Structure formats: C-alpha cells, structure tokens
C-alpha cells in the first residue's frame, strides 16, 4: 500500500513538473557556472581584457535598403557607428561621456545631441566585452532564470538589469555557451520598445569567438546585419570620436 502511494505521489510530482515553466525547473548549473562556461566559450575573460579596440565592417539591410557600415569601438566606452544610405553618410558617436549623431536623411548635416534613450543604449553597446563580464563591477544585476528551448536548441536564460535601468535577456546555447539571442527593453520618447536580436555564424578572431550575423526585430521592422571583417586591436584615430563643428550657414 505504501509503495503504491509512493508511486502515485511520484507520478503526480513528475506530471506537475512537466507543467511548470522552464524557469521553475532545475537548471543543472548555477549562475556562476553558466557564466564561467560562457566566458570560456567566447575566448576567456583575460583575453577580452587585452582588447583595447575593435573595428567591424559589413552591410545592414532594412526595408529593402542595403547600407554599408563601419563600427569603431575603443576602450573605455567609446563607440562610433557610421553607415551610408543612398550616398548619404550618417553616424552615431559616443565618446565615453557624451553622444552625438549626424543624420542627413532627417534634413540636417550638422551634429545633433543624442536623445537620452539613445545615449543609454550607446553606453551599453560601447562596452567592448559586453555586460556579462565583470557585471557586478559595472553595476549590473544578473539572474539565472532557467533552462528553456529556443527553436529546438536548449538554452540557458539569463536576465540582466543594467545600471542604466534598462533590461536585457540573454539566451546562451546550453552546449556551446555562446549567445544565440538577446532581448532588450528600452524606452523611446516615453514608450517601451522591445528588440530581439538573433546572433549566428560565430567565427574565431584572434582567439575570441564573435558572431558575423545578426537579425534584429522590433516594432519598426527587421534589420539584418552581416559582418565582413573584424579587426582586434587596430590603430584607431581618437579624433573619430570628437564632435565636428556645425557647417557655416552658407555651406549648408
């Protein structure tokens, strides 16, 4: 009788477990273990600490348009994103403290201040090694939500609250521990916007594992980025991050 009761209890327990969300199930690894495997998978924390600059070139496509881009990233927290659409060059720049942009497609070739929301996003993107390395020192919070399934692939789900207050979710491949997907929640003009980015085509560059493809989707549509080249520790002119003077009225 006791054995039958035990079997019924176990059966009900397994049935209940199957109905629980993935975040409530046993993950098998602790947060520190998942992060340690992630650091190792992307080349190791020590190797990333030696990265002083990264330059990427590629193409970005959205709404039927293809735009070549170049990204310069210099430690600490300097980022310049430059792209060309229909012969016009636009850019967003963060010098580690302040940010500005040039958007001739919006009717002005003069540098304009970045809105606070864009400034917060640039600060996050300017972090050369990403939010997960030394997250506590950077003022971020990271939580292991649990194990889930991403289109047939087992993943570990990490939830990050950035120092800025913005939130991000990372889905790490449960076997290879590289990032397969991120979901970022940001505010734009008082409205919360969610952007999901799928990362793929990882390649090793100077001992680091980096994605060469990204598909970002939000309420504004889908943006596909394909990286052609990545350079680690190239020489980058610091003047690229200096804000240019506005053009004289007669030259506009």
């Amino acid at each position: 009788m006791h054995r039958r009761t035990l079997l019924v209890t176990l059966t009900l327990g397994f049935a209940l477990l199957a109905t629980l969300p993935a975040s409530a199930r046993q993950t098998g690894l602790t947060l520190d273990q998942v992060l340690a495997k992630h650091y190792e998978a992307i080349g190791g924390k020590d190797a990333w600490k030696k990265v002083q600059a990264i330059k990427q070139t590629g193409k970005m496509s959205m709404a039927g348009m293809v735009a070549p881009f170049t990204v310069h990233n210099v430690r600490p927290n300097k980022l310049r994103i430059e792209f060309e659409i229909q012969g016009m060059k636009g850019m967003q720049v963060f010098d580690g403290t302040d940010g500005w942009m040039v958007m001739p497609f919006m009717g002005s070739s003069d540098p304009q201040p970045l809105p606070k929301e864009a400034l917060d996003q640039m600060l996050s993107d300017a972090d050369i090694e990403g939010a997960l390395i030394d997250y506590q020192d950077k003022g971020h919070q990271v939580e292991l939500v649990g194990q889930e399934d991403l289109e047939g692939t087992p993943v570990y789900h990490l939830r990050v609250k950035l120092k800025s207050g913005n939130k991000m979710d990372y889905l790490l491949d449960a076997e290879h521990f590289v990032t397969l997907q991120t979901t970022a929640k940001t505010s734009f003009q008082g409205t919360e916007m969610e952007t999901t980015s799928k990362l793929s085509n990882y390649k090793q560059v100077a001992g680091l594992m980096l994605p060469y493809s990204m598909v970002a989707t939000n309420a504004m549509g889908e943006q596909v980025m394909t990286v052609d080249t990545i350079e680690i520790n190239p020489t980058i002119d610091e003047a690229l991050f200096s804000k240019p003077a506005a053009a004289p009225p007669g030259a506009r």
Side-chain angles (χ1 to χ4, degrees), residues 12-21 24-26:
L12 289 173
F14 283 124
L16 177 61
L17 179 62
T19 66
L20 290 175
R25 303 178 195 172
Q26 178 65 36

Side-chain angles (χ1 to χ4, degrees), residues 52-54 72-79 126 128 236 238 241:
Q52 297 301 312
I54 298 178
H72 293 90
N73 198 180
V74 174
R75 193 185 293 275
N77 298 332
K78 292 185 178 182
L79 181 65
I128 254 181
I236 296 177
E238 292 283 338
F241 304 97

Side-chain angles (χ1 to χ4, degrees), residues 42-189:
I42 62 175
K45 287 178 67 174
D46 290 343
W48 274 100
K49 290 299 181 183
K50 295 176 183 177
V51 177
Q52 297 301 312
I54 298 178
K55 179 182 178 181
Q56 300 182 64
T57 64
K59 295 179 180 63
M60 172 176 60
S61 61
M62 182 176 67
M65 296 184 295
V66 177
F69 70 82
T70 302
V71 178
H72 293 90
N73 198 180
V74 174
R75 193 185 293 275
N77 298 332
K78 292 185 178 182
L79 181 65
R80 177 187 174 105
I81 303 171
E82 189 174 329
F83 51 93
E84 184 175 332
I85 299 177
Q86 297 178 343
M88 293 184 290
K89 289 186 177 180
M91 64 189 72
Q92 288 184 310
V93 182
F94 182 66
D95 64 7
T97 303
D98 199 7
W100 49 273
M101 63 180 178
V102 174
M103 295 290 181
F105 348 95
M106 299 172 65
S108 175
S109 296
D110 291 337
Q112 305 291 333
L114 281 173
K116 182 184 182 305
E117 296 89 347
L119 199 60
D120 288 343
Q121 187 61 50
M122 288 287 281
L123 175 60
S124 174
D125 293 342
D127 186 347
I128 254 181
E129 69 251 359
L132 295 180
I133 291 182
D134 292 340
Y135 70 91
Q136 291 172 314
D137 295 339
K138 296 171 183 176
H140 308 326
Q141 299 174 28
V142 179
E143 169 196 0
L144 174 59
V145 178
Q147 278 188 287
E148 298 178 8
D149 180 272
L150 175 65
E151 299 175 355
T153 300
V155 294
Y156 281 95
H157 181 178
L158 303 183
R159 180 159 293 149
V160 181
K161 183 178 180 181
L162 301 174
K163 184 179 180 179
S164 65
N166 290 336
K167 298 177 182 178
M168 290 188 69
D169 288 89
Y170 287 74
L171 298 183
L172 309 183
D173 187 301
E175 180 179 1
H176 303 291
F177 289 91
V178 295
T179 304
L180 297 184
Q181 180 174 295
T182 65
T183 301
K185 294 182 179 179
T186 57
S187 293
F188 182 70
Q189 295 180 346

Side-chain angles (χ1 to χ4, degrees), residues 39-44 47-48 51 203-210 232:
Y39 300 153
E40 182 181 4
I42 62 175
W48 274 100
V51 177
K203 298 179 183 179
Q204 196 172 78
V205 184
L208 307 176
M209 195 62 69
L210 295 164
I232 303 298

